Amino acid sequence: MSQIQLLPAVEKFLSQPGRLFIGGTWQDAAGGRRFAVENPASESSVAEVAEGDERDVDAAVAAARAAFTGPWAQHSPAQRGLLLFRLAELLDQHREELAQLITLENGKPIANARGEAASAANIIRYFAGWPTKIEGSTHPVSPASGAPMLNYTVREPVGVCALIVPWNFPLTMCVWKLGPVLATGCVAVLKPAEQTPLVAIRLVQLIEAAGFPAGVVNLVTGLGAHTGAPLAGHADVDKIAFTGSTQVGRLIAQAATGNMKKVSLELGGKSPNIILPDADIVRAAKGAADGIFYNQGQVCTAGSRLYVHASVLDQVLEELQRHAAAHVLGPGLDPANSMGPLVSARQLGSVRGYLQRGQEEGAELICGGDRPAHLERGHFIQPSVFLDRAERACVAREEIFGPVLTVMSWTEVDELVLRANDSPYGLAAGLWTRDLRSAHRVAAQLKAGSVWINCWNVVDPASPFGGYKQSGWGREMSKNVIDAYTETKSVFVDLA
Ligand code: NAI
Ligand code: MG
């Protein structure tokens, strides 16, 4: 097969430099600078985008504040819901455009990008139902004076939210955060990753087209240090929501202490996936392979540590090799390819470093391990599997963020649980078994924000998502995220 044709709308979009969106106006960066966006499959530049700095961040925060206290505060909950429903419709109408932009800048197979675009509309639709359901409560207080007293709570939007998102799911990460912002009546300054600003720009164009008032969503593209950092430290930002590396998450938490802004963080993982001896082994091995190879392994919840019961180890290794070999690597715009490139030369360098160090530290390479020989250009890496009997190599302990699985074997379940939990992270965990008792017993002991039984990477806007330990602070989606974007006000009324 060959690469799909880009839609005329996409060609036109790429031909114009991407601009910042501040207070309802598309504009160049204050410093006039731009940066290039690369197609990671071809290593060629596909578009130019404004490179914002502190001045643009200041202007965007001021515009957001003005909208928050002005026109946006006048919108009823039902009106906010209606605008979100309109946005969902637009996301559906422009699904193919969004998908093509995702594949162009991120590299993932077009089928996966189409899935990401479709789910974005569903997520926004989920949040469209929330504005009319954000409720307070009444509380049976007992004043010492004995005076009759009414006490009730209301939930109010927290205010100006800085949203800093990564490149691995460049559209999903934007809507996970913008959905609750818009549902609760907050306002936002969105800072997409420098690798993937294009789909974020297109999304914000659709937000504008849906009819949200100027200043409710502002967009500042640019580099982490020059746009993300000033946002994180900004004195007039009330809340920051970040997804990305634990390293930058730490910086953001520190920067937030200046004005004690609210912080939610979705960070890294090294998630354990466990195969019990009574599992459907063929299905479990397929699930384990998909759990690590999906999105080229660039998933915070990647099932990167696989614990296989010793009695089925050989069979699982064989199945894993078969699944790795079945992947067809190549540009994501060719629907024949099931695995695209990594996002950048830097990411490829980092993953190759792990492949080398893993072997030096005694892990046995079962398959993969290098760039595919037939692809000259692009940041491609083979799907790879290690067996690490000692469980000491870096590939068994550190987040790689690439299609690299490390397999360990186990025999005794209590010891297995200790090993699975022995990680600074706690984002996700999973297990494969046909036994109901083992399923719930092990699930209860795993220290992770998401536990998947006989499945992997299932996420849903109605269910909370987030991490234990160094995998983050707070939860996204579901009612939990509505709480995270609102303040609770407790009102006492003396009825005497
Ligand atoms: P990163 O954490 O540097 O980037 C994520 C976002 O933070 C981007 O928008 C970036 O511009 C911004 N940023 C960077 N430095 C900042 C700063 N000082 N202040 C404020 N914002 C800043 O992640 P990077 O460097 O792209 O990837 C490195 C590793 O991070 C990956 O190999 C992976 O292990 C992990 N990662 C985890 C993700 C997740 O979903 N949890 C997503 C992306 C990366
Ligand atoms: Mg970084």
Side-chain angles (χ1 to χ4, degrees), residues 245 247-248 346:
S245 61
Q247 183 195 353
V248 173
R346 215 191 79 194

Short mmCIF file of all heavy atoms in Angstrom, two decimals, residues 245 247-248 346, ligand 2:
data_model
loop_
_atom_site.label_atom_id
_atom_site.label_comp_id
_atom_site.label_asym_id
_atom_site.label_seq_id
_atom_site.Cartn_x
_atom_site.Cartn_y
_atom_site.Cartn_z
N SER A 245 6.71 14.08 32.07
CA SER A 245 7.73 13.35 32.82
C SER A 245 7.66 13.67 34.31
O SER A 245 7.26 14.77 34.70
CB SER A 245 9.12 13.70 32.28
OG SER A 245 9.36 15.08 32.44
N GLN A 247 10.16 14.14 36.10
CA GLN A 247 11.17 15.17 36.30
C GLN A 247 10.57 16.58 36.17
O GLN A 247 10.75 17.44 37.04
CB GLN A 247 12.24 14.94 35.23
CG GLN A 247 13.43 15.84 35.28
CD GLN A 247 14.21 15.73 33.96
OE1 GLN A 247 13.91 14.90 33.09
NE2 GLN A 247 15.19 16.59 33.82
N VAL A 248 9.82 16.83 35.10
CA VAL A 248 9.20 18.16 34.93
C VAL A 248 8.04 18.33 35.91
O VAL A 248 7.82 19.43 36.42
CB VAL A 248 8.77 18.38 33.46
CG1 VAL A 248 7.98 19.67 33.31
CG2 VAL A 248 9.99 18.42 32.54
N ARG A 346 15.43 12.45 19.76
CA ARG A 346 15.81 12.36 21.18
C ARG A 346 15.18 11.14 21.83
O ARG A 346 15.83 10.41 22.58
CB ARG A 346 15.36 13.64 21.89
CG ARG A 346 16.33 14.05 22.99
CD ARG A 346 15.73 15.15 23.84
NE ARG A 346 14.79 14.56 24.78
CZ ARG A 346 13.90 15.26 25.47
NH1 ARG A 346 13.80 16.56 25.32
NH2 ARG A 346 13.10 14.66 26.32
MG MG B 2 11.59 17.19 28.71
#
